[in-house]
PDB file of all heavy atoms in Angstrom:
ATOM      1  N   GLY D  10      35.665 -54.828 134.569  1.00 98.00           N
ATOM      2  CA  GLY D  10      35.254 -54.422 133.237  1.00 98.00           C
ATOM      3  C   GLY D  10      36.240 -53.654 132.431  1.00 98.00           C
ATOM      4  O   GLY D  10      35.889 -53.072 131.409  1.00 98.00           O
ATOM      5  N   SER D  11      37.580 -53.671 132.771  1.00 98.00           N
ATOM      6  CA  SER D  11      38.473 -52.902 132.035  1.00 98.00           C
ATOM      7  C   SER D  11      38.988 -53.670 130.706  1.00 98.00           C
ATOM      8  O   SER D  11      39.729 -53.069 129.920  1.00 98.00           O
ATOM      9  CB  SER D  11      39.707 -52.574 132.844  1.00 98.00           C
ATOM     10  OG  SER D  11      40.380 -53.743 133.245  1.00 98.00           O
ATOM     11  N   ALA D  12      38.632 -54.948 130.634  1.00 98.00           N
ATOM     12  CA  ALA D  12      38.827 -55.735 129.418  1.00 98.00           C
ATOM     13  C   ALA D  12      37.766 -56.728 129.230  1.00 98.00           C
ATOM     14  O   ALA D  12      37.954 -57.917 129.337  1.00 98.00           O
ATOM     15  CB  ALA D  12      40.262 -56.456 129.474  1.00 98.00           C
ATOM     16  N   PRO D  13      36.542 -56.180 128.915  1.00 98.00           N
ATOM     17  CA  PRO D  13      35.374 -57.072 129.029  1.00 98.00           C
ATOM     18  C   PRO D  13      35.144 -58.000 127.866  1.00 98.00           C
ATOM     19  O   PRO D  13      35.551 -57.790 126.729  1.00 98.00           O
ATOM     20  CB  PRO D  13      34.198 -56.075 129.094  1.00 98.00           C
ATOM     21  CG  PRO D  13      34.756 -54.875 128.258  1.00 98.00           C
ATOM     22  CD  PRO D  13      36.207 -54.869 128.539  1.00 98.00           C
ATOM     23  N   MET D  14      34.432 -59.087 128.181  1.00 98.00           N
ATOM     24  CA  MET D  14      33.894 -59.977 127.174  1.00 98.00           C
ATOM     25  C   MET D  14      32.742 -59.249 126.493  1.00 98.00           C
ATOM     26  O   MET D  14      32.201 -58.289 126.921  1.00 98.00           O
ATOM     27  CB  MET D  14      33.246 -61.267 127.820  1.00 98.00           C
ATOM     28  CG  MET D  14      34.163 -62.185 128.428  1.00 98.00           C
ATOM     29  SD  MET D  14      33.309 -63.701 128.971  1.00 98.00           S
ATOM     30  CE  MET D  14      32.435 -63.106 130.491  1.00 98.00           C
ATOM     31  N   GLY D  15      32.529 -59.664 125.201  1.00 98.00           N
ATOM     32  CA  GLY D  15      31.419 -59.078 124.442  1.00 98.00           C
ATOM     33  C   GLY D  15      31.179 -59.797 123.156  1.00 98.00           C
ATOM     34  O   GLY D  15      32.032 -60.633 122.755  1.00 98.00           O
ATOM     35  N   PRO D  16      30.130 -59.467 122.451  1.00 97.00           N
ATOM     36  CA  PRO D  16      29.817 -60.207 121.189  1.00 97.00           C
ATOM     37  C   PRO D  16      30.673 -59.707 120.084  1.00 97.00           C
ATOM     38  O   PRO D  16      31.342 -58.596 120.163  1.00 97.00           O
ATOM     39  CB  PRO D  16      28.328 -59.757 120.921  1.00 97.00           C
ATOM     40  CG  PRO D  16      28.113 -58.472 121.695  1.00 97.00           C
ATOM     41  CD  PRO D  16      29.021 -58.531 122.879  1.00 97.00           C
ATOM     42  N   ASP D  17      30.806 -60.413 119.010  1.00 94.00           N
ATOM     43  CA  ASP D  17      31.608 -60.055 117.912  1.00 94.00           C
ATOM     44  C   ASP D  17      31.416 -58.721 117.343  1.00 94.00           C
ATOM     45  O   ASP D  17      32.358 -57.952 116.914  1.00 94.00           O
ATOM     46  CB  ASP D  17      31.542 -61.061 116.802  1.00 94.00           C
ATOM     47  CG  ASP D  17      32.093 -62.445 117.191  1.00 94.00           C
ATOM     48  OD1 ASP D  17      32.894 -62.474 118.199  1.00 94.00           O
ATOM     49  OD2 ASP D  17      31.699 -63.472 116.611  1.00 94.00           O
ATOM     50  N   GLY D  18      30.180 -58.217 117.282  1.00 91.00           N
ATOM     51  CA  GLY D  18      29.905 -56.949 116.710  1.00 91.00           C
ATOM     52  C   GLY D  18      30.197 -55.704 117.579  1.00 91.00           C
ATOM     53  O   GLY D  18      30.040 -54.580 117.204  1.00 91.00           O
ATOM     54  N   ASP D  19      30.593 -55.898 118.782  1.00 97.00           N
ATOM     55  CA  ASP D  19      30.823 -54.865 119.821  1.00 97.00           C
ATOM     56  C   ASP D  19      32.240 -54.287 119.640  1.00 97.00           C
ATOM     57  O   ASP D  19      33.203 -55.027 120.008  1.00 97.00           O
ATOM     58  CB  ASP D  19      30.521 -55.341 121.197  1.00 97.00           C
ATOM     59  CG  ASP D  19      30.636 -54.250 122.239  1.00 97.00           C
ATOM     60  OD1 ASP D  19      31.168 -53.147 121.940  1.00 97.00           O
ATOM     61  OD2 ASP D  19      30.301 -54.468 123.375  1.00 97.00           O
ATOM     62  N   PRO D  20      32.481 -53.104 119.177  1.00 96.00           N
ATOM     63  CA  PRO D  20      33.871 -52.607 119.015  1.00 96.00           C
ATOM     64  C   PRO D  20      34.607 -52.430 120.320  1.00 96.00           C
ATOM     65  O   PRO D  20      35.846 -52.382 120.239  1.00 96.00           O
ATOM     66  CB  PRO D  20      33.667 -51.289 118.326  1.00 96.00           C
ATOM     67  CG  PRO D  20      32.220 -50.824 118.702  1.00 96.00           C
ATOM     68  CD  PRO D  20      31.435 -52.118 118.767  1.00 96.00           C
ATOM     69  N   LEU D  21      33.928 -52.371 121.425  1.00 98.00           N
ATOM     70  CA  LEU D  21      34.613 -52.215 122.698  1.00 98.00           C
ATOM     71  C   LEU D  21      34.780 -53.576 123.439  1.00 98.00           C
ATOM     72  O   LEU D  21      35.227 -53.535 124.589  1.00 98.00           O
ATOM     73  CB  LEU D  21      33.890 -51.243 123.611  1.00 98.00           C
ATOM     74  CG  LEU D  21      33.784 -49.759 123.065  1.00 98.00           C
ATOM     75  CD1 LEU D  21      33.050 -48.878 124.088  1.00 98.00           C
ATOM     76  CD2 LEU D  21      35.184 -49.260 122.795  1.00 98.00           C
ATOM     77  N   ALA D  22      34.389 -54.660 122.810  1.00 98.00           N
ATOM     78  CA  ALA D  22      34.566 -55.949 123.410  1.00 98.00           C
ATOM     79  C   ALA D  22      35.999 -56.408 123.230  1.00 98.00           C
ATOM     80  O   ALA D  22      36.446 -56.628 122.079  1.00 98.00           O
ATOM     81  CB  ALA D  22      33.608 -56.952 122.854  1.00 98.00           C
ATOM     82  N   VAL D  23      36.706 -56.605 124.370  1.00 98.00           N
ATOM     83  CA  VAL D  23      38.158 -56.954 124.346  1.00 98.00           C
ATOM     84  C   VAL D  23      38.285 -58.502 124.103  1.00 98.00           C
ATOM     85  O   VAL D  23      39.194 -58.905 123.465  1.00 98.00           O
ATOM     86  CB  VAL D  23      38.887 -56.438 125.544  1.00 98.00           C
ATOM     87  CG1 VAL D  23      40.341 -56.921 125.602  1.00 98.00           C
ATOM     88  CG2 VAL D  23      38.806 -54.929 125.688  1.00 98.00           C
ATOM     89  N   LEU D  24      37.392 -59.172 124.833  1.00 98.00           N
ATOM     90  CA  LEU D  24      37.530 -60.604 124.883  1.00 98.00           C
ATOM     91  C   LEU D  24      36.263 -61.249 124.206  1.00 98.00           C
ATOM     92  O   LEU D  24      35.209 -60.710 124.115  1.00 98.00           O
ATOM     93  CB  LEU D  24      37.490 -61.148 126.309  1.00 98.00           C
ATOM     94  CG  LEU D  24      38.503 -60.444 127.313  1.00 98.00           C
ATOM     95  CD1 LEU D  24      38.302 -61.016 128.657  1.00 98.00           C
ATOM     96  CD2 LEU D  24      39.886 -60.570 126.844  1.00 98.00           C
ATOM     97  N   ASP D  25      36.383 -62.481 123.684  1.00 98.00           N
ATOM     98  CA  ASP D  25      35.268 -63.246 123.233  1.00 98.00           C
ATOM     99  C   ASP D  25      34.734 -64.107 124.399  1.00 98.00           C
ATOM    100  O   ASP D  25      35.199 -63.983 125.498  1.00 98.00           O
ATOM    101  CB  ASP D  25      35.641 -64.219 122.105  1.00 98.00           C
ATOM    102  CG  ASP D  25      36.656 -65.238 122.407  1.00 98.00           C
ATOM    103  OD1 ASP D  25      36.959 -65.510 123.564  1.00 98.00           O
ATOM    104  OD2 ASP D  25      37.276 -65.819 121.461  1.00 98.00           O
ATOM    105  N   ALA D  26      33.791 -64.956 124.182  1.00 98.00           N
ATOM    106  CA  ALA D  26      33.074 -65.639 125.265  1.00 98.00           C
ATOM    107  C   ALA D  26      34.030 -66.727 125.883  1.00 98.00           C
ATOM    108  O   ALA D  26      33.656 -67.317 126.985  1.00 98.00           O
ATOM    109  CB  ALA D  26      31.858 -66.392 124.681  1.00 98.00           C
ATOM    110  N   GLN D  27      35.153 -66.997 125.209  1.00 98.00           N
ATOM    111  CA  GLN D  27      36.117 -67.932 125.821  1.00 98.00           C
ATOM    112  C   GLN D  27      37.299 -67.207 126.549  1.00 98.00           C
ATOM    113  O   GLN D  27      38.301 -67.810 126.876  1.00 98.00           O
ATOM    114  CB  GLN D  27      36.720 -68.807 124.772  1.00 98.00           C
ATOM    115  CG  GLN D  27      35.803 -69.892 124.257  1.00 98.00           C
ATOM    116  CD  GLN D  27      34.725 -69.383 123.314  1.00 98.00           C
ATOM    117  OE1 GLN D  27      34.993 -68.538 122.452  1.00 98.00           O
ATOM    118  NE2 GLN D  27      33.511 -69.760 123.578  1.00 98.00           N
ATOM    119  N   LEU D  28      37.080 -65.897 126.764  1.00 98.00           N
ATOM    120  CA  LEU D  28      37.992 -65.063 127.513  1.00 98.00           C
ATOM    121  C   LEU D  28      39.311 -64.775 126.742  1.00 98.00           C
ATOM    122  O   LEU D  28      40.315 -64.357 127.246  1.00 98.00           O
ATOM    123  CB  LEU D  28      38.333 -65.609 128.905  1.00 98.00           C
ATOM    124  CG  LEU D  28      37.149 -65.817 129.870  1.00 98.00           C
ATOM    125  CD1 LEU D  28      37.612 -66.622 131.075  1.00 98.00           C
ATOM    126  CD2 LEU D  28      36.509 -64.546 130.230  1.00 98.00           C
ATOM    127  N   LYS D  29      39.301 -65.060 125.413  1.00 98.00           N
ATOM    128  CA  LYS D  29      40.442 -64.880 124.614  1.00 98.00           C
ATOM    129  C   LYS D  29      40.448 -63.430 124.103  1.00 98.00           C
ATOM    130  O   LYS D  29      39.488 -62.842 123.732  1.00 98.00           O
ATOM    131  CB  LYS D  29      40.411 -65.769 123.387  1.00 98.00           C
ATOM    132  CG  LYS D  29      40.553 -67.274 123.765  1.00 98.00           C
ATOM    133  CD  LYS D  29      40.404 -68.126 122.507  1.00 98.00           C
ATOM    134  CE  LYS D  29      40.626 -69.602 122.857  1.00 98.00           C
ATOM    135  NZ  LYS D  29      40.507 -70.563 121.687  1.00 98.00           N
ATOM    136  N   VAL D  30      41.755 -62.844 124.194  1.00 98.00           N
ATOM    137  CA  VAL D  30      41.906 -61.456 123.717  1.00 98.00           C
ATOM    138  C   VAL D  30      41.791 -61.426 122.155  1.00 98.00           C
ATOM    139  O   VAL D  30      42.469 -62.199 121.468  1.00 98.00           O
ATOM    140  CB  VAL D  30      43.243 -60.974 124.224  1.00 98.00           C
ATOM    141  CG1 VAL D  30      43.511 -59.545 123.584  1.00 98.00           C
ATOM    142  CG2 VAL D  30      43.322 -60.870 125.644  1.00 98.00           C
ATOM    143  N   ARG D  31      40.947 -60.604 121.655  1.00 98.00           N
ATOM    144  CA  ARG D  31      40.786 -60.479 120.240  1.00 98.00           C
ATOM    145  C   ARG D  31      42.058 -59.949 119.594  1.00 98.00           C
ATOM    146  O   ARG D  31      42.686 -59.015 120.099  1.00 98.00           O
ATOM    147  CB  ARG D  31      39.592 -59.582 119.913  1.00 98.00           C
ATOM    148  CG  ARG D  31      38.239 -60.180 120.221  1.00 98.00           C
ATOM    149  CD  ARG D  31      37.118 -59.369 119.741  1.00 98.00           C
ATOM    150  NE  ARG D  31      35.915 -60.116 119.566  1.00 98.00           N
ATOM    151  CZ  ARG D  31      35.031 -60.422 120.497  1.00 98.00           C
ATOM    152  NH1 ARG D  31      35.202 -59.979 121.743  1.00 98.00           N
ATOM    153  NH2 ARG D  31      33.861 -61.130 120.201  1.00 98.00           N
ATOM    154  N   GLY D  32      42.479 -60.598 118.515  1.00 97.00           N
ATOM    155  CA  GLY D  32      43.613 -60.140 117.740  1.00 97.00           C
ATOM    156  C   GLY D  32      44.999 -60.664 118.211  1.00 97.00           C
ATOM    157  O   GLY D  32      45.979 -60.300 117.567  1.00 97.00           O
ATOM    158  N   VAL D  33      45.000 -61.381 119.293  1.00 98.00           N
ATOM    159  CA  VAL D  33      46.276 -61.990 119.774  1.00 98.00           C
ATOM    160  C   VAL D  33      45.989 -63.414 120.141  1.00 98.00           C
ATOM    161  O   VAL D  33      45.105 -63.672 120.987  1.00 98.00           O
ATOM    162  CB  VAL D  33      46.790 -61.178 120.980  1.00 98.00           C
ATOM    163  CG1 VAL D  33      48.106 -61.858 121.460  1.00 98.00           C
ATOM    164  CG2 VAL D  33      46.968 -59.718 120.712  1.00 98.00           C
ATOM    165  N   ASP D  34      46.706 -64.360 119.630  1.00 98.00           N
ATOM    166  CA  ASP D  34      46.573 -65.775 119.896  1.00 98.00           C
ATOM    167  C   ASP D  34      47.221 -66.055 121.284  1.00 98.00           C
ATOM    168  O   ASP D  34      48.203 -65.401 121.621  1.00 98.00           O
ATOM    169  CB  ASP D  34      47.212 -66.638 118.851  1.00 98.00           C
ATOM    170  CG  ASP D  34      46.359 -66.534 117.504  1.00 98.00           C
ATOM    171  OD1 ASP D  34      45.102 -66.225 117.564  1.00 98.00           O
ATOM    172  OD2 ASP D  34      47.037 -66.748 116.422  1.00 98.00           O
ATOM    173  N   GLY D  35      46.758 -67.089 121.910  1.00 98.00           N
ATOM    174  CA  GLY D  35      47.394 -67.583 123.125  1.00 98.00           C
ATOM    175  C   GLY D  35      47.305 -66.656 124.340  1.00 98.00           C
ATOM    176  O   GLY D  35      48.211 -66.795 125.185  1.00 98.00           O
ATOM    177  N   LEU D  36      46.315 -65.753 124.393  1.00 98.00           N
ATOM    178  CA  LEU D  36      46.210 -64.767 125.513  1.00 98.00           C
ATOM    179  C   LEU D  36      44.793 -64.701 125.962  1.00 98.00           C
ATOM    180  O   LEU D  36      43.894 -64.509 125.125  1.00 98.00           O
ATOM    181  CB  LEU D  36      46.728 -63.375 124.990  1.00 98.00           C
ATOM    182  CG  LEU D  36      46.749 -62.322 126.033  1.00 98.00           C
ATOM    183  CD1 LEU D  36      47.685 -62.594 127.125  1.00 98.00           C
ATOM    184  CD2 LEU D  36      47.062 -61.014 125.389  1.00 98.00           C
ATOM    185  N   ARG D  37      44.607 -64.871 127.245  1.00 98.00           N
ATOM    186  CA  ARG D  37      43.300 -64.691 127.876  1.00 98.00           C
ATOM    187  C   ARG D  37      43.401 -63.749 129.099  1.00 98.00           C
ATOM    188  O   ARG D  37      44.422 -63.721 129.709  1.00 98.00           O
ATOM    189  CB  ARG D  37      42.722 -66.055 128.322  1.00 98.00           C
ATOM    190  CG  ARG D  37      42.514 -67.084 127.290  1.00 98.00           C
ATOM    191  CD  ARG D  37      41.784 -68.283 127.723  1.00 98.00           C
ATOM    192  NE  ARG D  37      42.130 -69.466 126.953  1.00 98.00           N
ATOM    193  CZ  ARG D  37      41.254 -70.321 126.409  1.00 98.00           C
ATOM    194  NH1 ARG D  37      39.935 -70.147 126.601  1.00 98.00           N
ATOM    195  NH2 ARG D  37      41.655 -71.348 125.715  1.00 98.00           N
ATOM    196  N   VAL D  38      42.285 -63.176 129.436  1.00 98.00           N
ATOM    197  CA  VAL D  38      42.126 -62.421 130.660  1.00 98.00           C
ATOM    198  C   VAL D  38      41.100 -63.177 131.565  1.00 98.00           C
ATOM    199  O   VAL D  38      40.039 -63.540 131.060  1.00 98.00           O
ATOM    200  CB  VAL D  38      41.629 -60.995 130.408  1.00 98.00           C
ATOM    201  CG1 VAL D  38      41.350 -60.275 131.729  1.00 98.00           C
ATOM    202  CG2 VAL D  38      42.620 -60.199 129.619  1.00 98.00           C
ATOM    203  N   ILE D  39      41.528 -63.423 132.841  1.00 98.00           N
ATOM    204  CA  ILE D  39      40.669 -64.373 133.610  1.00 98.00           C
ATOM    205  C   ILE D  39      40.280 -63.728 134.975  1.00 98.00           C
ATOM    206  O   ILE D  39      39.834 -64.471 135.946  1.00 98.00           O
ATOM    207  CB  ILE D  39      41.396 -65.663 133.932  1.00 98.00           C
ATOM    208  CG1 ILE D  39      42.752 -65.443 134.619  1.00 98.00           C
ATOM    209  CG2 ILE D  39      41.677 -66.419 132.593  1.00 98.00           C
ATOM    210  CD1 ILE D  39      43.370 -66.764 135.118  1.00 98.00           C
ATOM    211  N   ASP D  40      40.437 -62.365 135.099  1.00 98.00           N
ATOM    212  CA  ASP D  40      40.088 -61.724 136.397  1.00 98.00           C
ATOM    213  C   ASP D  40      38.826 -60.863 136.194  1.00 98.00           C
ATOM    214  O   ASP D  40      38.180 -60.938 135.172  1.00 98.00           O
ATOM    215  CB  ASP D  40      41.303 -60.933 136.952  1.00 98.00           C
ATOM    216  CG  ASP D  40      41.729 -59.825 136.081  1.00 98.00           C
ATOM    217  OD1 ASP D  40      41.084 -59.542 135.030  1.00 98.00           O
ATOM    218  OD2 ASP D  40      42.726 -59.211 136.443  1.00 98.00           O
ATOM    219  N   CYS D  41      38.534 -59.946 137.178  1.00 98.00           N
ATOM    220  CA  CYS D  41      37.415 -59.056 137.098  1.00 98.00           C
ATOM    221  C   CYS D  41      37.385 -58.214 135.886  1.00 98.00           C
ATOM    222  O   CYS D  41      36.327 -57.707 135.527  1.00 98.00           O
ATOM    223  CB  CYS D  41      37.363 -58.219 138.428  1.00 98.00           C
ATOM    224  SG  CYS D  41      36.754 -59.057 139.858  1.00 98.00           S
ATOM    225  N   SER D  42      38.549 -57.934 135.268  1.00 98.00           N
ATOM    226  CA  SER D  42      38.608 -57.125 134.119  1.00 98.00           C
ATOM    227  C   SER D  42      37.673 -57.704 132.998  1.00 98.00           C
ATOM    228  O   SER D  42      37.104 -56.915 132.212  1.00 98.00           O
ATOM    229  CB  SER D  42      40.021 -57.080 133.583  1.00 98.00           C
ATOM    230  OG  SER D  42      40.906 -56.701 134.530  1.00 98.00           O
ATOM    231  N   ALA D  43      37.478 -59.016 133.025  1.00 98.00           N
ATOM    232  CA  ALA D  43      36.739 -59.691 131.934  1.00 98.00           C
ATOM    233  C   ALA D  43      35.241 -59.514 132.079  1.00 98.00           C
ATOM    234  O   ALA D  43      34.540 -59.833 131.077  1.00 98.00           O
ATOM    235  CB  ALA D  43      37.125 -61.182 131.926  1.00 98.00           C
ATOM    236  N   MET D  44      34.733 -59.106 133.199  1.00 98.00           N
ATOM    237  CA  MET D  44      33.304 -59.038 133.452  1.00 98.00           C
ATOM    238  C   MET D  44      32.679 -57.968 132.562  1.00 98.00           C
ATOM    239  O   MET D  44      33.083 -56.806 132.653  1.00 98.00           O
ATOM    240  CB  MET D  44      33.040 -58.737 134.896  1.00 98.00           C
ATOM    241  CG  MET D  44      33.440 -59.906 135.876  1.00 98.00           C
ATOM    242  SD  MET D  44      33.205 -59.499 137.558  1.00 98.00           S
ATOM    243  CE  MET D  44      33.799 -61.058 138.385  1.00 98.00           C
ATOM    244  N   PRO D  45      31.701 -58.341 131.811  1.00 98.00           N
ATOM    245  CA  PRO D  45      30.992 -57.286 130.951  1.00 98.00           C
ATOM    246  C   PRO D  45      30.059 -56.363 131.700  1.00 98.00           C
ATOM    247  O   PRO D  45      29.704 -55.367 131.225  1.00 98.00           O
ATOM    248  CB  PRO D  45      30.257 -58.119 129.925  1.00 98.00           C
ATOM    249  CG  PRO D  45      29.925 -59.463 130.643  1.00 98.00           C
ATOM    250  CD  PRO D  45      31.140 -59.688 131.536  1.00 98.00           C
ATOM    251  N   ALA D  46      29.667 -56.767 132.898  1.00 98.00           N
ATOM    252  CA  ALA D  46      28.805 -55.951 133.803  1.00 98.00           C
ATOM    253  C   ALA D  46      29.158 -56.335 135.163  1.00 98.00           C
ATOM    254  O   ALA D  46      29.361 -57.504 135.514  1.00 98.00           O
ATOM    255  CB  ALA D  46      27.322 -56.115 133.409  1.00 98.00           C
ATOM    256  N   ILE D  47      29.062 -55.336 136.091  1.00 98.00           N
ATOM    257  CA  ILE D  47      29.446 -55.621 137.494  1.00 98.00           C
ATOM    258  C   ILE D  47      28.348 -56.448 138.139  1.00 98.00           C
ATOM    259  O   ILE D  47      27.131 -56.192 138.007  1.00 98.00           O
ATOM    260  CB  ILE D  47      29.566 -54.248 138.224  1.00 98.00           C
ATOM    261  CG1 ILE D  47      30.367 -54.471 139.511  1.00 98.00           C
ATOM    262  CG2 ILE D  47      28.295 -53.530 138.383  1.00 98.00           C
ATOM    263  CD1 ILE D  47      30.888 -53.172 140.189  1.00 98.00           C
ATOM    264  N   PRO D  48      28.787 -57.456 138.877  1.00 98.00           N
ATOM    265  CA  PRO D  48      27.808 -58.284 139.657  1.00 98.00           C
ATOM    266  C   PRO D  48      27.191 -57.476 140.770  1.00 98.00           C
ATOM    267  O   PRO D  48      27.743 -56.568 141.257  1.00 98.00           O
ATOM    268  CB  PRO D  48      28.650 -59.407 140.266  1.00 98.00           C
ATOM    269  CG  PRO D  48      29.982 -59.396 139.502  1.00 98.00           C
ATOM    270  CD  PRO D  48      30.127 -58.029 139.050  1.00 98.00           C
ATOM    271  N   SER D  49      25.971 -57.874 141.160  1.00 98.00           N
ATOM    272  CA  SER D  49      25.240 -57.141 142.183  1.00 98.00           C
ATOM    273  C   SER D  49      25.628 -57.608 143.533  1.00 98.00           C
ATOM    274  O   SER D  49      24.798 -58.101 144.327  1.00 98.00           O
ATOM    275  CB  SER D  49      23.754 -57.327 142.008  1.00 98.00           C
ATOM    276  OG  SER D  49      23.354 -56.966 140.672  1.00 98.00           O
TER     277      SER D  49
END
């Protein structure tokens, strides 16, 4: 969760639903950092 996905209105959402980093083209995060909540 250090670079999580989130909805457009969330100021702490680093990634969109396609794992793309907001504000930078051509960049995605594809590891556990992207998880918006920890799996059980």
Side-chain angles (χ1 to χ4, degrees):
S11 62
M14 291 186 284
D17 291 341
D19 183 352
L21 296 183
V23 176
L24 312 178
D25 64 15
Q27 286 73 46
L28 303 172
K29 295 179 179 179
V30 176
R31 287 183 157 89
V33 181
D34 293 333
L36 181 63
R37 300 189 207 227
V38 174
I39 61 169
D40 64 5
C41 283
S42 311
M44 295 178 178
I47 195 166
S49 303

